[in-house]
């Protein structure tokens, strides 16, 4: 075990006396108070239960290809926990590994607590290994044996610092071999992979690989991502989404009150969440901004950057006529990924700049198609520069680094100047830019995320004890009281489709995008005219952990559940 | 009254039925729950009290000049409220105006509620006028008559949107005349000015002016600013500081957990507060970042930008040796104002660019002194550009717009590259920039700010009823339970010094800077080595409004009070 890694993750635990119960030296009062926050379990997990299989499953798309890619685990039924007696495996001691994969999301520590408590409660004498630093920890067999003393201080705490996370993948034959070696070395009965869509695809590949190699190690996934884009009928939401949105909404709500008090700024707020716009949509439902851009809608309507700019300018002009020269605008981080012409420009730039040197005279620009050249000229100089200079190690444009909110401020400003000359606009425009991202990923989990994660982990333990593999832990009926939540496992292959890359089929869990005919988006559409011109700002305030407001679910989840 | 202004502020009130008690349509659950949060008063304000004058006062500096500038109000004693019977003015109906001046700070609405409730409780039949849009509202006689229905929905709410604020000053003879006309027209007995150092200086000039013109209108100030730089012995803190710091600390705490979980980013966090570094210091005491830059210390040590860069790089190198390639760094917004060589460069740029056109060849640069030219070349290109292009209407560099956190990331990166080649550094460095500002100014006030502001307003009412003028409402003994808080008025002239501008003396309330021999800074200094190399991150979490953590005072206040 490398010293560096040990130290990185040992910070908190090392300072925490096992028996102290309180950690005044390393925790704030609120952090300390969260340690004792009770974690209720769904009734089915509190009593004796058995696992009942549903009908065989298929795939989200191209079932034949998925079946070929996963010959051992394809088609598995969902496994539903129901009250009853199960004599199987009772009293069995298990060796289980757990790994955090990908970006942080509030609640990850509670998933681990849930697995651990399941083993303590139902399989006394079991061992839980925490792989350090993500999937690389599996391959390098870097782990810590999780004990009550080690785990307790992380209960209901944000972050992934208990065992840290990583972005490595296990996908090549060599990597699978390393994973197998660890599974054999530690005599693992099971492995829980806590991650997003990619990590759960990986988890399924690992389940397939272990089974095909006749290893006893089962693999169960858990749905993690603040982006909210890993969900399906059986998995109503990914954990972390609730907390992150509430943190962003607190900030947005404050900025709104500031906008109204000052009366002179348009706040352009870019929000984390690149692939899908769920975070932006949820924050809009919580706070009622004047303008909200939803990437999926922009893509569906095949809008250009000019269309988007014009839409914002239109609202600003109408508001100016009403005497409002201020407002709040929400922008999903991935907005420009949704604009076809921008995608085209970026792909041309990637191609050209891989082969050409950028000359001062701009000769390289002549290689752009005329549409892309036109768009490039439309962009503010700072953005042109970002497109050309901020490139990843493969030489590609780093779209995530483009400050879309600043780009839009400049483009809207230019557009409004034009309209001013045409006397179509008489207001004042001042833009302020914000990016809310990192501050939402590691907050203290909301009561919902704390409880949901604990159930996901506890359920994952139950699935492993039942000998299941290739499933994702699924907790449902979330609009009901916790006691009535359902617990099951859903075949990971049932979430999958294939993508063709380099002539080969590659399995992927399709990202759940904002559905334009879904209840959350429709609710937003029904309100956006009113929010644009009237000021219906809501300030959700800081997350409260006790009191009547502390157990409120997010709008997206409630609307999708029809609650 | 202009329609625009009416609409700006009418949003909330118009939607609120006076008798509804709850405002589900316009308020979130937390906002609603705050309406009923009880506001305890200091005992002295709950019972019968009389006003006892202290000894005559002087000035913070140059008392002779201040005496000349304020012949009517200079030297006034402080007015202390003590239990007892005062027969003066009882039953008198008053006409009082109130104005919000300058930037937002959480709690402003509670000051107004305090004044209003004082009048309701002690001077039945009185009228409270809210001047709209700051001091301009006084000059233009734009106001709203504040009623219980109008005020109630803003109780314990953030922002200044009840009557909005503004940055106009009342300082020319014409402006004083307009203010007098309003005072006479509305038959004002008193005026409460809620503002920062400039606004309270203005309040004192107005008190002087009204008295010299034999107007009956008295003027009382209230200490407002999130920056925390308006304070003295009698005024232990300005309102808004507590809430804003707690909001920033929540975000910083989250970013810290993210840094530790990810293990690969240095987060450079710039915090609002340009003139003084109180916010940055308080946030450091709340969260224990690895590096905290305090402008006042940088200035006292006459540090250069290179010194600051080297200090950051030194800590990063030491941390890399310990295996930490991540961290959190706090930077006060006004950092570069504290660096003499940067001030020199900016003043040269202001001078040169006012007269020269900026030629591509850079001939204009030759006008810089060699020290400034050297510094300019040291700056990253983006910052060079900001210095030259982002200029205010007077052509001056807009220091507040300079993204110091990004500048430092680039400078540190360059320095680390150099050290890498000299093999003095073997780590990985990735910077992430943040600016926390607007999201802290308009948050829901903490319990402390809510109660403190209510007492400030209630006390201001008492001072006006007692016929006092030219005082600032002062609530003290804040480390004790609210019942034991003291209430008084302090002569505004006693906070003043003079500055010489254009050959004339100008009175100013000296900004309270971070004192390098004060308890908060000394506490920080005693810890910073440990915080730099070990990771002692604290995550204060979101402000809680109920429960044991909800009434905690900020560290700066507690340390300054010796509590």
């Amino acid at each position: 075990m490398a010293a560096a890694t040990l130290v990185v993750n040992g910070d908190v635990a090392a300072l925490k006396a096992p028996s102290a119960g309180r950690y005044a030296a390393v925790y704030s009062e609120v952090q300390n108070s969260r340690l004792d926050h009770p974690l209720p379990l769904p009734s089915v997990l509190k009593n004796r239960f058995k696992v009942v299989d549903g009908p065989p499953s298929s795939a989200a798309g191209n079932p034949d290809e998925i079946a070929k890619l996963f010959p051992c685990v394809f088609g598995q039924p969902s496994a539903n926990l129901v009250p009853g007696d199960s004599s199987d495996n009772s009293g069995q001691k298990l060796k289980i590994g757990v790994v955090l994969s990908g970006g942080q999301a509030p609640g990850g520590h509670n998933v681990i607590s849930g697995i651990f408590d399941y083993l303590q409660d139902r399989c006394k004498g079991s061992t839980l290994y925490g792989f350090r630093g993500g999937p690389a920890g599996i391959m390098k067999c870097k782990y810590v044996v999780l004990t009550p003393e080690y785990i307790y201080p992380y209960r209901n705490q944000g972050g992934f610092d208990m065992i840290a996370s990583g972005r490595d993948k296990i996908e090549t034959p060599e990597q699978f071999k390393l994973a197998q070696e660890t599974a054999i070395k530690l005599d693992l009965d099971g492995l829980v992979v806590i991650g997003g869509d990619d990590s759960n695809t990986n988890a399924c590949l690992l389940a397939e690989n272990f089974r095909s190699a006749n290893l006893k190690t089962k693999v169960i996934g858990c749905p993690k991502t603040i982006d909210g884009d890993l969900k399906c009928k059986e998995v109503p939401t990914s954990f972390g989404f609730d907390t992150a949105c509430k943190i962003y909404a607190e900030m947005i709500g404050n900025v709104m009150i500031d906008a109204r008090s000052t009366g002179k700024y348009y706040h352009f707020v870019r929000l984390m969440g690149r692939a899908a716009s769920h975070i932006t949509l949820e924050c809009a439902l919580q706070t009622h901004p004047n303008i909200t851009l939803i990437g999926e809608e922009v893509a569906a309507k095949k809008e250009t950057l000019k269309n988007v700019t014009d839409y914002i300018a239109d609202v600003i002009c109408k508001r100016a006529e009403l005497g409002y020269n201020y407002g709040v605008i929400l922008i999903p981080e991935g907005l420009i990924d949704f604009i076809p012409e921008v995608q085209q420009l970026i792909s041309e730039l990637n191609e050209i700049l891989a082969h050409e040197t950028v000359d001062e005279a701009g000769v390289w620009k002549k290689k752009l198609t005329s549409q892309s050249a036109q768009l490039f000229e439309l962009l503010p100089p700072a953005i042109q520069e970002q497109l050309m200079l901020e490139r990843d190690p493969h030489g590609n444009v780093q779209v995530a680094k483009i400050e879309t909110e600043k780009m839009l401020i400049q483009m809207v400003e230019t557009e409004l100047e034009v309209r001013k000359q045409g006397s179509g606009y008489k207001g004042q425009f001042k833009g302020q830019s914000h990016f809310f991202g990192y501050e939402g990923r590691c907050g203290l989990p909301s009561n919902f995320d704390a409880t949901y994660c604990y159930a996901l982990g506890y359920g994952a333990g139950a699935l492993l004890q039942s000998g299941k593999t290739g499933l994702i832990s699924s907790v449902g009926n979330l609009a009901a009281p916790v006691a009535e939540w359902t617990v099951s496992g859903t075949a990971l292959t049932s979430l999958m489709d294939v993508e063709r890359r380099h002539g080969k089929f590659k399995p992927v869990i399709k990202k759940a995008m904002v559905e334009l005919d879904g209840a959350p988006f429709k609710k937003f559409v029904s309100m956006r005219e009113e929010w644009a011109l009237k000021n219906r700002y809501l300030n959700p305030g800081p997350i409260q952990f006790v009191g009547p407001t502390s157990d409120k679910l997010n709008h997206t989840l409630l609307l999708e559940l029809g609650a």
Side-chain angles (χ1 to χ4, degrees), chain A:
Chain A
M1 215 175 296
T5 313
L6 238 181
V7 179
V8 168
N9 308 301
D11 289 344
V12 176
L15 281 161
K16 287 174 184 166
S19 59
R22 283 292 174 281
Y23 304 92
V26 288
Y27 273 170
S28 71
E29 284 185 62
V30 171
Q31 283 178 302
N32 261 320
S33 77
R34 292 303 284 162
L35 288 174
D36 291 335
H37 173 73
L39 293 169
L41 278 172
S43 296
V44 70
L45 290 176
K46 280 167 71 177
N47 303 301
R48 300 173 79 87
F49 59 81
K50 59 183 179 182
V51 176
V52 175
D53 286 345
S57 66
S58 182
N62 292 294
D64 296 346
E65 298 303 330
I66 296 294
K68 276 187 235 162
L69 289 162
F70 296 93
C72 298
V73 299
F74 176 77
Q76 290 193 108
S78 61
N80 307 297
L81 273 64
V82 297
D85 261 328
S86 164
S87 52
D88 310 345
N89 310 321
S90 57
Q92 184 194 9
K93 288 181 194 173
L94 297 177
K95 292 186 179 127
I96 305 288
V98 61
V99 67
L100 293 162
S101 182
Q104 281 62 256
H109 291 147
N110 278 25
V111 178
I112 299 175
S113 294
I115 303 167
F116 187 81
D117 286 0
Y118 181 85
L119 296 177
Q120 294 271 92
D121 294 348
R122 307 276 181 141
C123 321
K124 284 248 177 301
S126 293
T127 307
L128 183 60
Y129 299 97
F131 289 107
R132 290 181 174 283
I138 300 176
M139 294 186 280
K140 296 179 192 163
C141 201
K142 286 195 342 190
Y143 62 86
V144 60
V145 175
L146 296 173
T147 60
E149 296 74 34
Y150 200 96
I151 284 187
Y152 174 75
Y154 293 96
R155 216 169 158 96
N156 299 316
Q157 305 297 320
F160 276 5
D161 42 335
M162 187 204 290
I163 52 175
S165 180
R167 293 189 180 274
D168 300 271
K169 296 244 183 321
I170 303 176
E171 48 188 8
T172 68
E174 297 73 33
Q175 289 169 328
F176 281 122
K177 189 157 169 289
L178 290 170
Q180 286 183 17
E181 283 169 13
T182 294
I184 292 165
K185 182 175 169 199
L186 297 182
D187 189 31
L188 287 188
D189 296 292
L191 173 68
V192 181
V193 177
I194 303 170
D197 51 341
D198 273 359
S199 305
N200 274 286
T201 303
N202 245 259
C204 196
L205 288 167
L206 211 51
E208 176 71 26
N209 180 276
F210 285 168
R211 183 165 280 185
S212 73
N214 281 318
L215 258 61
K216 67 169 178 175
T217 315
K218 313 291 189 292
V219 185
I220 297 292
C222 273
K224 172 231 70 170
T225 168
I226 63 163
D227 295 354
D229 55 8
L230 170 54
K231 61 182 171 185
C232 60
K233 202 173 113 284
E234 296 80 5
V235 180
T237 189
S238 58
F239 77 78
F241 174 73
D242 185 77
T243 307
C245 289
K246 284 171 179 167
I247 292 171
Y248 300 141
E250 174 197 355
M251 298 299 117
I252 296 164
N254 288 358
V255 164
M256 282 172 164
I257 306 292
D258 202 274
R260 180 156 61 198
S261 295
T262 317
K264 64 180 180 187
Y265 292 121
Y266 272 92
H267 293 271
F268 286 62
V269 181
R270 177 168 52 114
L271 292 165
M272 208 170 231
R274 191 176 149 194
S277 305
H278 296 290
I279 288 177
T280 300
L281 179 56
E282 172 63 26
C283 288
L285 293 168
Q286 285 191 31
T287 62
H288 307 177
N290 302 108
I291 296 174
T292 304
L293 302 174
I294 299 297
E296 289 84 342
E297 184 184 29
V298 168
K301 293 185 173 171
K302 297 193 173 55
E303 293 191 1
T304 63
L305 204 47
K306 180 78 173 74
N307 294 150
V308 173
T309 306
D310 284 344
Y311 168 61
I312 298 173
D314 288 348
V315 173
I316 290 174
C317 288
K318 282 187 210 155
R319 288 179 59 79
E321 279 170 33
L322 296 169
Y324 304 130
N325 284 301
Y326 65 90
V328 175
I329 299 169
L330 303 189
I331 304 157
E333 185 179 27
L335 177 70
I336 55 177
D337 285 327
F338 289 99
I339 303 179
E341 58 167 4
V342 178
Q343 285 305 90
Q344 175 65 26
L345 168 63
I346 288 172
S347 93
E348 288 179 30
L349 284 174
N350 284 343
E351 189 63 28
I352 294 169
L353 298 180
H355 303 106
E356 305 275 326
T357 47
V358 177
D359 55 309
E360 288 279 329
V363 176
W364 66 272
K365 280 189 211 166
K366 300 211 173 112
K367 304 239 170 183
L368 291 171
T369 60
S370 74
Q371 182 203 304
S372 289
Q374 224 173 333
L375 175 59
F376 190 79
E377 292 309 324
L378 187 71
L379 296 173
I383 301 296
Q384 292 181 349
E385 218 161 283
Q386 276 186 330
L387 284 173
M388 289 161 56
L389 299 180
E390 303 259 7
R391 312 181 76 78
D392 70 14
H394 310 288
N396 291 326
V397 171
Q398 291 190 277
V399 179
K401 287 214 171 173
I402 295 175
E403 298 176 306
T404 323
E405 71 285 14
K406 292 190 179 169
M407 177 180 80
L408 286 175
I409 287 175
Q410 290 184 48
M411 295 183 71
V412 166
E413 199 166 17
T414 307
E415 173 63 24
L416 290 174
E417 276 306 314
V418 172
R419 295 192 188 191
K420 221 166 205 172
Q421 280 150 29
S423 74
Y425 171 61
K426 294 189 183 68
Q428 300 293 325
F429 174 78
K430 275 190 203 170
Q432 287 285 355
S433 64
H434 305 264
F435 172 52
F436 297 146
Y438 294 93
E439 50 274 68
R441 303 199 313 179
C442 282
L444 287 157
S446 65
N447 285 351
F448 170 75
D449 270 328
T451 307
Y452 179 57
C453 286
Y454 189 67
L456 284 172
Y458 209 92
L463 293 169
L464 284 174
Q465 195 195 8
S466 310
K468 300 294 179 184
T469 192
L471 306 184
I472 185 166
S473 182
S474 312
V475 174
N477 201 27
L478 298 175
V482 177
E484 297 165 33
W485 286 4
T486 59
V487 180
S488 58
T490 306
L492 279 162
T493 47
S494 76
L495 277 61
M496 288 187 192
D497 198 344
V498 286
E499 274 181 9
R500 208 173 172 93
R501 287 187 204 162
H502 308 296
K504 273 189 185 167
F505 282 121
K506 212 176 134 68
V508 287
I509 294 182
K510 292 294 261 188
K511 278 189 196 295
M513 308 302 282
V514 169
E515 288 181 16
L516 301 187
D517 56 357
F521 184 75
K522 278 159 81 177
K523 170 80 179 172
F524 159 68
V525 168
S526 75
M527 302 303 295
R528 73 171 142 191
E529 281 295 309
E530 185 179 333
W531 295 348
L533 302 183
K534 304 192 173 158
N535 300 314
R536 297 288 189 252
Y537 300 153
L538 278 192
N539 183 353
I543 292 177
Q544 299 296 297
F545 294 122
V546 290
T549 63
S550 61
D551 290 319
K552 224 187 146 188
L553 268 60
N554 62 73
H555 295 253
T556 302
L557 185 56
L558 283 173
L559 287 163
E560 287 183 345
L561 296 174

